[in-house]
Amino acid sequence: MSLLQVRDLKKSYKRDLFARKNDVLKGVSFSVPAGSITGFLGGNGAGKTTTMRCMLGLDYPDSGTAEFFGAPLSSDSKRRLGFLPERPYFYEHLSGVEFLKFYAHLTSSWKAPVLNDRIAQLLKRVDLTHAKDRPLRSYSKGMLQKIGVAQALIHDPELIILDEPMSGLDPDGRLALSEIILETAKKGTAIFFSSHLLHDMERLCQRLVVLKDGICIYEGETDALLDKSGVELEIYYFEQNERRSLRAQNQEDLQVQLKQLLGRGAAIIEIRRARATLEEIFVKMALRGRNP
Amino acid sequence: MRPVWVLAINTYREVIRDRILYALVLFAFLLIGLSLALGQLSFAEQARISANFGMSAIHLCAVALAVFVGSNLVYKEIEKKTIMTILVRPISRLQFVFGKALGLTMVIITMIFGLACILGLVFYGLGQEVGARFAVVLLGLLGEALVLLGVTILFSMITKPLLVVCFSIGVFLIGHWQGSLEYFAAKDQGGTLKAVSWLVSHLLPNLERLNWKDLVLYADQPLDFASKAAALGNAAAWFAICIWISTLLFMRKDVG
């Protein structure tokens, strides 16, 4: 079942009254199934943020539709989704706890003890218990990102949409956020997020949606995309007191290469599947416009 | 209604914790203090001078709060993108605008009430009566602040804060000078000034209708509750219409 179904979304902007319209989205369609982590990939200006804004009713699309949980966006569906925008700014006058209470009360009514427990639990999960009473203006960028994720999770949504959640974070912050994403997905929440960090995408996402110039050029399993570029087998061996490696194109080639090596008296150390990284494929697909 | 209230409380907290409010309150304290000092200079009119200065201080602060904070009320949310995390919650754009306006209204009421308590003490010290007349004048000030807040929010939907402040101050000045304009228009031989006066009186609020300071300055002024209630109703209508048009404009806006 698809939690989010985007169909033929088109959006153009005019910089000023006399400027020509700039078509940002030229018919974007994709879906996000339940219980998956779906990555939204695309170069700068591909239209990822615009797609998210149009989906969520923040910007009005020229045409096309976005359905959440099988129906157009409504108060009910808004209660079932969480969102963290790119480079979020929050109310700096609020403390961490006040901030989470504000978003919780905006979404639904809570009994005080239940909400307090939920906030304590979330602050622990994003490792911000120590800063819960500090105003947000004193938070670092990483802390703001974490509290932003916490506000998206406060009402325990079924689908979370994150726009560039890793941007600007140091490796520690990225790792912490990755863990939060994986942990959340384990509990059955579907996650749809955009990022420029392809290594994280490859590691976290089961599915990918790739956007180029306002058009969706790939939608499907991450593994299928990686396999599309062809899988090679890498043989590591020891010969003449030296560690060496060579690549086999397929199983038959592997058998031939192994026979030759063993015949020469080489010691086989390891055989690994080697395939192109997402980064290599993305560069081909999105930036150069070639199929993998 | 709950999201409106949650937003209003948040806006109230935000403004209360902002430095601009304390600057305004300090300014009001200084004016009330000055009113006492100036009152000393007059032999017979000390209470009247103090009352005039004190009420003017509250008046200016309420108007400044409505215009300066109101001009940024929605604009800042869009500019800082805080609005993006709010509008994806189950809250409509009408509820958003109304919640923000309600929050700032609560701040204005708190400020008027706080300053009125200080002024009430001054009145008490000078032997002036603090009763229904005093309260009615304050209601007039609140009505004017609400009209200006509505107008300011409306302008903020179509332009940037600096221009919004200029336009709103323009409405404030014209709103208080409509009587003078009508006076000169009546003496105008040509039709231009008459036409301008007619347009202004039909398109902009007459804020002098809410200026009831004379009630505390002159004891012989009649306290006509019916006309005061009508003027307050008119102010509430101006506020409601401005918020409604603001929401219509806001509903067409891309906020991402």
Side-chain angles (χ1 to χ4, degrees):
Chain A
M1 181 206 154
S2 289
L3 298 189
L4 167 63
Q5 180 76 57
V6 174
R7 285 192 195 95
D8 202 23
L9 218 51
K10 289 180 185 165
K11 176 71 180 171
S12 54
Y13 292 99
K14 252 180 154 182
R15 255 181 298 120
D16 55 62
L17 200 61
F18 303 105
R20 276 184 58 189
K21 274 191 171 181
N22 177 25
D23 295 327
V24 180
L25 304 182
K26 298 166 186 164
V28 174
S29 302
F30 62 89
S31 62
V32 175
S36 69
I37 303 182
T38 304
F40 197 27
L41 213 55
N44 287 334
K48 302 186 298 293
T49 300
T50 306
T51 304
M52 287 188 173
R53 288 172 184 170
C54 288
M55 272 160 33
L56 293 164
L58 297 167
D59 283 6
Y60 295 111
D62 299 337
S63 65
T65 57
E67 287 186 350
F68 290 86
F69 315 104
L73 190 66
S74 65
S75 290
D76 281 339
S77 53
K78 282 178 175 180
R79 275 190 196 96
R80 297 165 68 185
L81 66 92
F83 174 57
L84 175 69
E86 187 184 4
R87 287 192 295 271
Y89 287 91
F90 297 123
Y91 295 107
E92 295 177 337
H93 65 282
L94 296 177
S95 69
V97 171
E98 286 173 338
F99 173 77
L100 292 179
K101 274 189 181 162
F102 169 64
Y103 281 97
H105 286 306
L106 264 188
T107 313
S108 48
S109 51
W110 296 75
K111 284 191 175 149
V114 177
L115 181 57
N116 291 339
D117 281 354
R118 174 83 185 139
I119 288 173
Q121 202 184 73
L122 267 177
L123 285 171
K124 197 177 165 193
R125 190 152 144 203
V126 297
D127 194 23
L128 283 177
T129 309
H130 63 284
K132 66 182 174 135
D133 296 319
R134 271 166 49 189
L136 295 192
R137 72 170 68 90
S138 69
Y139 278 33
S140 68
K141 192 174 167 49
M143 290 162 85
L144 281 176
Q145 205 79 352
K146 283 182 188 173
I147 200 88
V149 172
Q151 68 79 27
L153 291 170
I154 186 77
H155 52 299
D156 205 9
E158 291 165 53
L159 168 66
I160 298 177
I161 297 168
L162 310 167
D163 191 6
E164 298 284 354
M166 311 276 189
S167 83
L169 292 183
D170 59 19
D172 282 353
R174 269 176 25 220
L175 187 69
L177 201 57
S178 301
E179 278 168 12
I180 295 169
I181 288 175
L182 284 172
E183 206 180 302
T184 308
K186 249 185 223 166
K187 290 180 178 164
T189 308
I191 296 169
F192 178 66
F193 79 100
S194 67
S195 176
H196 282 108
L197 300 162
L198 301 172
H199 174 70
D200 292 331
M201 281 269 192
E202 189 176 342
R203 199 164 55 85
L204 295 172
C205 303
Q206 294 123 21
R207 295 185 79 256
L208 284 175
V209 174
V210 184
L211 207 61
K212 192 200 169 194
D213 295 336
I215 292 169
C216 186
I217 55 169
Y218 178 80
E219 184 194 358
E221 301 293 316
T222 308
D223 282 337
L225 179 66
L226 292 171
D227 288 344
K228 239 181 171 181
S229 64
V231 178
E232 290 183 339
L233 296 156
E234 198 150 20
I235 309 163
Y236 294 89
Y237 61 97
F238 208 75
E239 192 175 31
Q240 293 170 358
N241 293 328
E242 221 176 82
R243 185 188 153 101
R244 294 175 183 177
S245 73
L246 57 85
R247 281 196 172 190
Q249 299 300 320
N250 49 42
Q251 275 293 335
E252 283 172 16
D253 188 28
L254 175 72
Q255 299 309 322
V256 174
Q257 302 263 23
L258 282 175
K259 260 185 198 166
Q260 283 175 1
L261 285 171
L262 291 169
R264 293 205 308 253
I268 308 297
I269 303 169
E270 192 182 5
I271 300 168
R272 266 193 224 159
R273 275 163 65 95
R275 59 185 182 184
T277 61
L278 184 58
E279 193 155 358
E280 287 164 349
I281 295 169
F282 178 71
V283 167
K284 279 184 195 169
M285 263 179 102
L287 300 182
R288 294 182 195 155
R290 277 194 260 136
N291 281 326
Chain B
M1 198 56 193
R2 196 195 61 248
V4 173
W5 186 241
V6 173
L7 260 176
I9 294 285
N10 184 55
T11 306
Y12 180 82
R13 235 183 227 162
E14 186 181 10
V15 182
I16 286 287
R17 292 178 188 180
D18 199 340
R19 281 186 207 129
I20 188 171
L21 183 71
Y22 298 109
L24 281 173
V25 170
L26 185 69
F27 171 71
F29 274 141
L30 286 176
L31 267 186
I32 291 173
L34 187 67
S35 74
L36 279 173
L38 283 174
Q40 301 287 334
L41 297 177
S42 167
F43 177 68
E45 304 285 345
Q46 184 180 358
R48 195 170 291 170
I49 288 173
S50 297
N52 201 354
F53 258 84
M55 282 297 177
S56 299
I58 299 176
H59 182 199
L60 282 179
C61 281
V63 166
L65 197 58
V67 171
F68 287 101
V69 180
S71 64
N72 264 303
L73 204 59
V74 176
Y75 183 84
K76 199 167 77 179
E77 296 271 353
I78 298 174
E79 200 62 15
K80 287 197 160 188
K81 296 183 178 170
T82 40
I83 197 168
M84 293 174 76
T85 47
I86 297 198
L87 289 184
V88 296
R89 305 277 165 171
I91 180 164
S92 69
R93 293 192 181 205
L94 170 66
Q95 287 175 319
F96 178 79
V97 175
F98 190 61
K100 297 293 291 181
L102 182 63
L104 186 50
T105 303
M106 282 154 53
V107 179
I108 294 170
I109 291 171
T110 306
M111 196 189 70
I112 289 178
F113 180 76
L115 291 176
C117 287
I118 306 289
L119 190 63
L121 285 175
V122 172
F123 270 41
Y124 183 74
L126 293 171
Q128 283 259 83
E129 188 198 341
V130 183
R133 287 167 171 270
F134 186 79
V136 168
V137 176
L138 293 174
L139 277 179
L141 297 183
L142 175 63
E144 179 176 342
L146 277 188
V147 172
L148 284 169
L149 174 61
V151 168
T152 303
I153 290 175
L154 174 56
F155 286 142
S156 75
M157 293 295 160
I158 42 181
T159 188
K160 304 217 169 195
L162 186 64
L163 280 176
V164 173
V165 169
C166 295
F167 290 161
S168 298
I169 290 174
V171 171
F172 169 73
L173 294 176
I174 295 170
H176 280 287
W177 291 340
Q178 273 191 28
S180 307
L181 190 63
E182 278 165 19
Y183 173 79
F184 287 114
K187 291 183 179 295
D188 181 32
Q189 297 299 317
T192 318
L193 202 53
K194 276 196 177 76
V196 170
S197 171
W198 185 89
L199 261 180
V200 164
S201 64
H202 283 81
L203 286 179
L204 296 175
N206 185 345
L207 299 174
E208 269 304 301
R209 279 189 199 149
L210 295 159
N211 181 5
W212 305 324
K213 286 190 202 114
D214 285 355
L215 286 176
V216 290
L217 299 181
Y218 307 103
D220 57 342
Q221 286 284 316
L223 183 56
D224 177 5
F225 279 113
S227 71
K228 305 289 184 263
L232 283 175
N234 185 270
W238 266 100
F239 179 71
I241 289 169
C242 287
I243 295 295
W244 178 63
I245 299 173
S246 304
T247 307
L248 288 183
L249 293 170
F250 190 50
M251 281 165 83
R252 297 166 60 94
K253 223 178 171 110
D254 285 340
V255 295

